[in-house]
Amino acid sequence: MSIFISDDVRNALANGEPVVALETAVLTAGLPKTSWIEEYGERPNIIDAELPINIALAQAMTHTVQSGGATPAWIAVVDGTLRIGLSPEEIVELGTNPNAGKVSLATFAQTIQRTGSAGTTVAATLVACRLASKENPIRVFATGGIGGIHQNWANRLDVSADLTALATTQTCVVASGAKSILDIPSTVEALETIGVPVLGLGNSLFPRFIEKNTDGDPYVHQVDSPDDVATLCKHHWHNLHLPSAIFATLQAPPDVALEEGELQEALVHAENDWAGLNQPSPTRTPFLLDKMAKITGGKSLVANLALLCNNAGAASEIAIALTK
Ligand code: PSU
Ligand code: MN
């Protein structure tokens, strides 16, 4: 199997400079591939409204990481090669490839064998963080929300391999909690079981992805600065030699986060529509996200894009703090 690491990423890691890994399942399966103008009219100021939304988001996150002082490492499987550090052109190619779905731990080898292309989930991206360098793996990774324990798990078990990878990778994952369609309290319990410290950077409650927190949400360990996150990472990995990730959570920016319950109704509609379609389970997340965006007039999508950029900014600060 071939792994390709871009010169930028390779040099930054070799020199002990800050690097932030970025997943591409959000580009291939999580966000619309149409432009904002085509879909929603009024423009958000976070992204370029003329480009496909997924590509525009990638550009915005790249810019955020770079202007924060870190090197972005977009990760994907392209034509059967695991690529660590995609160029802007490669991101456009992947993000517009209609055959590129998402790849996780169980589908990694088969995607390589059939020389396929796919966006990497949190789990697959964490594998790449480890493979990037034996001595200096990528220590920080930004995304929107992790996978976890699905609702209704007691009837039919559905647990994301993201948890498996979080249990076994010494990387700090920066995200706004877990996908909104999950069983959040169960996901938080599972993170405890697998030994992943859950921190809140400025928040004491586990974020609800694009929604504001509500009473009764699970508590997290609040920290107040990227330096605090870095110190905790060093204790966890270098002093205690624990094998697991650190999960640094951030709330969605308050000016765009949805109010309590705003999403719930949209989600119920979307779930009903999906149930009637009888589609295979990998299509569920993209379908629900798209429906929710339509039902909320683009509001859920604005919040999603804003938190992704916000998390990328925090991740570069944490990456810098870790190099001190
Ligand atoms: N959060 C979202 N949308 C997504 C994902 C997360 O709001 O599309 C992606 C991430 O890449 C995450 C993956 O790692 O879904 C988890 O998928 P699964 O449950 O199939 O493991
Ligand atoms: Mn699943």
Side-chain angles (χ1 to χ4, degrees):
M1 157 191 171
S2 49
I3 302 178
F4 176 84
I5 306 173
S6 73
D7 289 344
D8 278 7
V9 172
R10 186 188 297 279
N11 292 335
L13 290 174
N15 297 330
E17 290 162 10
V19 174
V20 174
L22 299 158
E23 61 139 311
T24 47
V26 67
L27 306 182
T28 59
L31 290 172
K33 296 176 178 174
T34 44
S35 76
W36 192 277
I37 294 213
E38 274 169 72
E39 292 283 352
Y40 300 103
E42 204 189 325
R43 318 166 156 236
N45 55 11
I46 337 160
I47 58 157
D48 186 322
E50 323 257 333
L51 291 176
I53 292 169
N54 61 341
I55 307 292
L57 180 269
Q59 284 188 357
M61 288 179 84
T62 299
H63 178 77
T64 304
V65 171
Q66 284 172 340
S67 55
T71 299
W74 287 98
I75 286 157
V77 178
V78 179
D79 298 331
T81 297
L82 173 61
R83 298 186 77 96
I84 302 176
L86 299 181
S87 68
E89 296 73 32
E90 288 165 334
I91 290 170
V92 172
E93 210 165 298
L94 179 80
T96 54
N97 178 351
N99 299 319
K102 70 176 181 183
V103 60
S104 193
L105 304 186
T107 50
F108 221 145
Q110 74 205 39
T111 303
I112 285 163
Q113 188 185 30
R114 68 174 169 84
T115 59
S117 296
T120 46
T121 59
V122 169
T125 305
L126 284 171
V127 171
C129 289
R130 293 201 299 262
L131 292 172
S133 161
K134 221 178 178 151
E135 302 75 32
N136 298 308
I138 301 178
R139 293 295 192 187
V140 184
F141 164 21
T143 187
I146 62 166
I149 312 280
H150 280 260
Q151 287 179 20
N152 211 23
W153 57 269
N155 266 340
R156 190 179 62 103
L157 193 64
D158 186 349
V159 178
S160 172
D162 288 0
L163 295 179
T164 312
L166 285 162
T168 52
T169 312
Q170 293 178 323
T171 290
C172 176
V173 176
V174 183
S176 299
K179 296 197 258 197
S180 7
I181 55 176
L182 299 176
D183 178 337
I184 302 299
S186 297
T187 300
V188 175
E189 292 291 349
L191 286 163
E192 182 184 317
T193 303
I194 62 176
V196 172
V198 184
L199 314 180
L201 192 47
N203 43 291
S204 61
L205 299 177
F206 191 79
R208 298 175 74 91
F209 196 51
I210 57 177
E211 284 182 289
K212 292 188 174 149
N213 273 120
T214 54
D215 294 346
D217 284 340
Y219 281 98
V220 298
H221 175 66
Q222 182 168 347
V223 294
D224 295 314
S225 72
D227 281 333
D228 289 347
V229 177
T231 304
L232 253 133
C233 288
K234 286 174 185 169
H235 285 310
H236 192 74
W237 301 327
H238 305 318
N239 297 335
L240 299 169
H241 296 276
L242 288 166
S244 46
I246 300 272
F247 189 19
T249 67
L250 276 87
Q251 281 172 326
D255 54 323
V256 292
L258 277 73
E259 296 297 331
E260 179 186 0
E262 224 177 321
L263 198 65
Q264 203 47 44
E265 212 178 311
L267 187 55
V268 171
H269 277 282
E271 288 274 16
N272 279 339
D273 289 351
W274 192 78
L277 286 178
N278 220 354
Q279 292 289 307
S281 82
T283 63
R284 183 161 169 264
T285 301
F287 179 87
L288 294 181
L289 290 175
D290 184 55
K291 274 277 167 183
M292 285 192 287
K294 298 259 159 61
I295 295 169
T296 60
K299 250 180 115 174
S300 67
L301 195 49
V302 170
N304 197 348
L305 298 170
L307 68 82
L308 278 158
C309 288
N310 192 48
N311 296 344
S316 56
E317 290 179 35
I318 293 167
I320 289 165
L322 268 171
T323 61
K324 286 182 203 156

